[in-house]
Amino acid sequence: MKKSFPAKAFSTWMLNWYRNSIRHPKYRWWLITGTLVYLLNPLDLLPDTLPLVGWIDDGLITTVLVAEVAQVMSDRLKNQRSNRSAGISKSDSTVVDVQSISLS
C-alpha cells in the first residue's frame, strides 16, 4: 500500500469534493458564491497581507474554480450538441390538442 503525505491526501480529497460538488446543480451556485466570498475576504488560510505567500492560496483556488466552471460549461455544451444531433429538442416535447383548434 502506497503511503502519501497527509497534506497531499487532504488536498486530493478536497479537490475531489470540490469537483463533485460543483457538478451537482443543487450546490453549484452555493459553492461558487462561497469561493468568491473566500477570495474577496482578506482573512483566509494565508492572509493576503503577506506578500506573495498570501496570494498563493487565492491563486490556487481561483485556478480550480475557473477550471471546474469551464469543465461544467464544456460538458453542458457537449450535451446540447449531442441532443441537437440526435433530433431531441424542446419543440419535440410540445403537446398540441388538435380537437381544440378551430379550422373555420
Side-chain angles (χ1 to χ4, degrees), residues 33-49 54-55 57-58 61:
T33 303
T35 302
L36 293 175
V37 167
Y38 178 82
L39 291 172
L40 295 175
N41 189 2
L43 302 173
D44 52 14
L45 189 62
L46 297 172
D48 295 339
T49 56
W55 300 329
D57 68 330
D58 291 346
I61 291 171

Side-chain angles (χ1 to χ4, degrees), residues 4-41:
S4 63
F5 295 110
K8 185 176 180 181
F10 177 74
S11 64
T12 303
W13 173 82
M14 190 64 141
L15 182 61
N16 288 335
W17 173 82
Y18 195 88
R19 284 179 174 169
N20 292 333
S21 297
I22 207 162
R23 283 177 172 76
H24 194 286
K26 183 177 179 181
Y27 304 118
R28 181 177 302 144
W29 291 110
W30 286 106
L31 192 61
I32 291 171
T33 303
T35 302
L36 293 175
V37 167
Y38 178 82
L39 291 172
L40 295 175
N41 189 2

Side-chain angles (χ1 to χ4, degrees), residues 42-86:
L43 302 173
D44 52 14
L45 189 62
L46 297 172
D48 295 339
T49 56
L50 301 172
L52 297 177
V53 176
W55 300 329
I56 290 174
D57 68 330
D58 291 346
L60 291 173
I61 291 171
T62 303
T63 302
V64 170
L65 174 66
V66 169
E68 293 305 316
V69 169
Q71 184 64 42
V72 167
M73 295 301 290
S74 175
D75 292 343
R76 189 175 198 171
L77 287 173
K78 285 179 187 176
N79 286 339
Q80 286 178 351
R81 287 182 185 159
S82 66
N83 286 347
R84 258 190 254 138
S85 66

